[in-house]
Amino acid sequence: MASASSITIRRARRDDVPVIVGMLADDRLGSARERIEDPLPQSYFAAFEKVDRDPNFKLVVAEDVDGAVVGCLQLCILPGISSQGASRGLIEDVRVATHCRSRGIGEQMVQWAMTEARTNGCILVELLTHHTRVDAQRFYERLGFQRSHVGMTIRF
Amino acid sequence: MASASSITIRRARRDDVPVIVGMLADDRLGSARERIEDPLPQSYFAAFEKVDRDPNFKLVVAEDVDGAVVGCLQLCILPGISSQGASRGLIEDVRVATHCRSRGIGEQMVQWAMTEARTNGCILVELLTHHTRVDAQRFYERLGFQRSHVGMTIRF
């Protein structure tokens, strides 16, 4: 099996959307939220356009040596007044294709996001992980993240 | 003392920045992070410009009947592929001036943010609150938020 170092992290393109949605749906929490249809609901492509046209949002994919997309991550660069006007990075929607787990692809993507955030003037990177995603929390702690906050949500 | 209903929530202007920074600094966690100087460090105004020019970021203030700014809140509208391409709202930097607490101003600002998020197509609003801010967590729970996630951060 190829190692993580063989993957390339690149900006997502419109034609990556179906594979990204597939990875988002292939997940205990995500399966109920997505609609895998052919053709894919137009709302996914509309969302891609919104992300793609704002330079503060960076949706990337991990591409394997054979060109297959095997991971995704979205980084938001959030400007704000606090902390002397420093920006913050927010990581969302991190997924690695099931058959490519344990190759360090997630780590490589998150390291990419941290470097990108720092390059864009962020003093910290933050994220919310569902309280039941214990493995994810261990993963982020291993990369240096702290369980410093409570993540609160309200759904409409 | 005036009630919450007497306040107006409006978009922040450049000349609100010093008062906003004052509120951010007047806080147990914020005091070490800000620099209250006259003139205020330029980085604060540069950050304001970044927030102000991107329609996905909405920095608002609560203005009292006498025109004084007594609260602030930043809402970020985050487009994303997941959940069928729905956007999410992220609330950050909520502050109410010390002498105006317990008037329901924070609640009015957060309710504004929820309405604004919904109007902008968000299916949820999320936020991180420091694990030591127990009062804030109770406040958000009272407004319907759930402690569904772990908020993780890494500082550079």
Side-chain angles (χ1 to χ4, degrees):
Chain A
M1 190 175 262
S3 69
S5 58
S6 60
I7 67 153
T8 307
I9 292 167
R10 63 162 174 80
R11 184 172 172 171
R13 299 184 303 249
R14 196 175 195 280
D15 60 1
D16 297 320
V17 172
V19 185
I20 294 171
V21 175
M23 289 189 289
L24 292 168
D26 185 18
D27 174 87
R28 182 173 48 82
L29 294 171
S31 57
R33 295 185 199 144
E34 311 304 339
R35 272 173 61 202
I36 304 287
E37 290 164 15
D38 188 13
L40 211 55
Q42 192 53 36
S43 59
Y44 286 114
F45 295 100
F48 174 81
E49 303 297 340
K50 283 188 201 170
V51 172
D52 196 51
R53 70 170 166 246
D54 188 328
N56 284 309
F57 305 133
K58 296 159 195 294
L59 177 65
V60 294
V61 294
E63 191 180 277
D64 214 342
V65 274
D66 61 357
V69 166
V70 295
C72 62
L73 176 150
Q74 183 168 317
L75 172 69
C76 305
I77 306 290
L78 307 171
I81 305 288
S82 67
S83 297
Q84 301 177 40
S87 292
R88 276 167 266 197
L90 174 74
I91 292 178
E92 297 203 299
D93 293 342
V94 182
R95 293 291 186 284
V96 173
T98 318
H99 67 285
C100 294
R101 301 270 165 87
S102 310
R103 274 175 53 189
I105 295 171
E107 176 169 346
Q108 199 172 328
M109 290 195 299
V110 173
Q111 295 286 8
W112 173 88
M114 289 197 279
T115 303
E116 184 73 11
R118 209 188 295 224
T119 306
N120 282 271
C122 296
I123 52 155
L124 66 83
V125 169
E126 61 192 15
L127 58 89
L128 291 91
T129 117
H130 195 265
H131 69 92
T132 59
R133 294 199 195 269
V134 181
D135 287 351
Q137 288 148 32
R138 264 198 296 262
F139 165 75
Y140 288 114
E141 281 182 314
R142 192 162 55 74
L143 298 183
F145 283 79
Q146 298 195 321
R147 302 164 62 96
S148 53
H149 288 66
V150 177
M152 305 190 73
T153 55
I154 186 168
R155 286 188 175 266
F156 301 138
Chain B
M1 189 177 260
S3 69
S5 58
S6 60
I7 67 153
T8 308
I9 292 167
R10 62 162 174 81
R11 184 172 174 171
R13 300 183 304 247
R14 195 174 195 280
D15 61 359
D16 296 320
V17 172
V19 184
I20 293 170
V21 175
M23 289 188 289
L24 292 169
D26 185 19
D27 175 86
R28 183 173 47 81
L29 294 171
S31 57
R33 295 185 198 144
E34 310 305 339
R35 273 173 61 200
I36 303 288
E37 292 164 15
D38 188 13
L40 212 56
Q42 193 51 37
S43 59
Y44 285 113
F45 295 101
F48 173 80
E49 302 297 341
K50 282 187 199 169
V51 172
D52 196 53
R53 72 169 164 248
D54 187 329
N56 284 309
F57 304 133
K58 296 161 196 291
L59 177 65
V60 294
V61 294
E63 191 179 278
D64 214 342
V65 274
D66 61 358
V69 166
V70 295
C72 61
L73 176 150
Q74 184 168 317
L75 171 69
C76 306
I77 306 291
L78 306 170
I81 305 287
S82 66
S83 296
Q84 301 177 43
S87 293
R88 276 167 265 196
L90 174 74
I91 291 178
E92 297 203 297
D93 294 342
V94 182
R95 293 291 186 284
V96 173
T98 317
H99 66 285
C100 294
R101 301 270 165 86
S102 308
R103 274 175 52 190
I105 295 172
E107 176 168 346
Q108 199 172 328
M109 290 195 299
V110 173
Q111 294 286 10
W112 172 89
M114 290 197 280
T115 303
E116 184 73 12
R118 209 188 295 224
T119 305
N120 281 271
C122 296
I123 51 155
L124 67 83
V125 169
E126 61 192 15
L127 59 89
L128 290 90
T129 119
H130 195 264
H131 68 92
T132 60
R133 294 198 194 269
V134 181
D135 287 351
Q137 289 148 32
R138 264 197 297 262
F139 164 75
Y140 288 114
E141 281 183 312
R142 193 162 54 74
L143 298 183
F145 284 79
Q146 298 196 320
R147 303 164 61 97
S148 53
H149 288 67
V150 177
M152 305 191 74
T153 54
I154 186 167
R155 285 188 175 264
F156 302 138

